[in-house]
Amino acid sequence: MSERAATSLDTRLLDAGAPDDVAEAVRLLRAGRLVAVPTETVYGLAGNAADPAAVRAIFAAKGRPTDHPLIVHLADAAAMPRWARDIPADAWTLADAFWPGPLTLLLHRHPDAPAEVAGGRATIGLRVPAHPVLRGILRALDGGLAAPSANPYQRLSPTTAAQVLAGLDGRIDAVLDGGACTVGLESTIVDLTGSMPRILRAGPITRAQLEAVLGRGVDFPTAHATAVPGNVAVHYRPRTPLLAMDAARLRARLATLAPDARIALAYLDPALPVAAPGIVAATRMPADKPGYARALYGTLHALDALGVDAIWLETPPQDEAWRDVHDRLSRAATPG
């Protein structure tokens, strides 16, 4: 960890609704400092993507390996050629359909784009976020912001400013509070460097949506070796052991739960015996996919703070629309 990251900082809480605070966030970012910013997906730990020192500070603050690439956030699609080369027609088509929004495009990195932001790789991930305050900051900076999730590496992603502070207070310069994130899960990542578009990380933009816009098939491997954000076996994980299971298995475990157990529960089925002895807290999750995605990280943050022995979570439906939720749960859950 760098000397700067090892020294505790006075992390300031700024208000995204106050113009002076937004201007202060812009000033800090121009100076190469780190500011956690709201996006529609999760809060991002932002630094000037064109400044290798700022990028290295992001890795240090998160405790993230420096070969794990970051996503560069842009004000609009017109900025893509500053960061990527040989941009295919599919990129412009998808940008026109889904930007601003929760879609990241993996492209060939422009030679002038710092290697640090791409983890030393020849590719780069680009996204235009939908949050109006962040887009205003990007326009003011006239550049790109590297902004991975604003949390310690492999821990739960934050969807509120308070969750950012719980993980990074003292490690970064400021948090810009823009309220709760409206989507709640990280963006879909699509690789456009090959002959066929390929989803590398499931997200809110589905394969069906991508194929409808492109007019052709999109590959969606169940596993791949391409290094992209979130593509590690352990990620998005609470400190409390998390066990994810379907309703039948959860019901069976509840039936044998010891009265002196300390379990927190996140569930969908209203018929489950959630008042059973040993259940310290029970949160019913929204049944609709957008609502569930919005609530997931916040629920896990809240249950993680209770000091229980384990979190038991009922898994949602097994279909394509929920694939991003299942991806996050598979990385967050404790094996067993």
Side-chain angles (χ1 to χ4, degrees):
M1 182 174 286
S2 70
E3 180 180 347
R4 178 189 163 197
T7 303
S8 181
L9 299 170
D10 181 15
T11 301
R12 299 165 57 191
L13 182 62
L14 304 175
D15 181 358
D20 287 348
D21 280 10
V22 175
E24 176 63 6
V26 171
R27 185 194 71 78
L28 287 168
L29 290 164
R30 281 193 178 126
R33 312 302 290 184
L34 304 186
V35 180
V37 296
T39 83
E40 75 278 22
T41 57
V42 300
Y43 272 72
L45 180 53
N48 183 354
D51 180 352
V55 173
R56 288 193 294 269
I58 292 173
F59 285 112
K62 284 178 61 69
R64 177 182 177 125
T66 57
D67 62 351
H68 202 52
L70 307 179
I71 293 170
V72 177
H73 294 67
L74 309 175
D76 51 52
M80 277 199 292
R82 296 169 60 178
W83 299 90
R85 62 173 178 84
D86 302 328
I87 301 171
D90 283 347
W92 298 106
T93 299
L94 293 176
D96 184 62
F98 297 112
W99 281 357
L103 178 68
T104 296
L105 303 180
L106 190 70
L107 303 168
H108 296 289
R109 179 169 58 86
H110 192 286
D112 293 339
E116 286 86 350
V117 78
R121 300 172 192 278
T123 55
I124 191 166
L126 303 178
R127 182 168 97 83
V128 174
H131 197 286
V133 173
L134 179 53
R135 293 193 72 202
I137 290 172
L138 286 162
R139 286 191 293 268
L141 292 171
D142 188 28
L145 288 176
S149 56
N151 57 301
Y153 180 58
Q154 296 187 330
R155 291 302 178 188
L156 285 171
S157 296
T159 55
T160 67
Q163 292 163 10
V164 176
L165 285 170
L168 294 180
D169 191 15
R171 300 192 195 186
I172 63 177
D173 296 281
V175 179
L176 184 63
D177 187 354
C181 299
T182 56
V183 173
L185 287 183
E186 296 82 359
S187 62
T188 306
I189 298 179
V190 179
D191 182 1
L192 297 177
T193 63
S195 59
M196 183 178 186
R198 184 172 58 139
I199 296 174
L200 300 181
R201 181 175 73 187
I205 305 300
T206 66
R207 173 165 57 179
Q209 290 175 289
L210 296 168
E211 290 179 339
V213 167
L214 293 175
R216 64 190 180 108
V218 173
D219 188 24
F220 201 168
T222 56
H224 61 83
T226 306
V228 293
N231 185 37
V232 290
V234 176
H235 214 61
Y236 318 111
R237 182 164 284 186
R239 289 174 173 80
T240 307
L242 170 65
L243 301 181
M245 62 198 93
D246 62 26
R249 184 178 169 209
L250 180 55
R251 185 181 297 278
R253 294 197 70 146
L254 287 169
T256 60
L257 184 62
D260 60 348
R262 289 183 51 79
I263 301 297
L265 186 64
Y267 69 101
L268 285 161
D269 185 354
L272 286 172
V274 298
I279 298 296
V280 173
T283 300
R284 188 175 176 189
M285 300 295 288
D288 65 296
K289 162 61 196 313
Y292 190 103
R294 236 182 344 264
L296 177 60
Y297 286 144
T299 298
L300 291 179
H301 273 285
L303 298 182
D304 195 27
L306 295 177
V308 294
D309 297 329
I311 300 169
W312 290 1
L313 179 142
E314 179 189 351
T315 51
Q318 292 282 351
D319 62 47
E320 186 84 359
W322 292 79
R323 189 159 174 179
D324 53 345
V325 171
H326 284 286
D327 172 78
R328 304 310 187 270
L329 290 177
S330 70
R331 301 174 195 278
T334 304

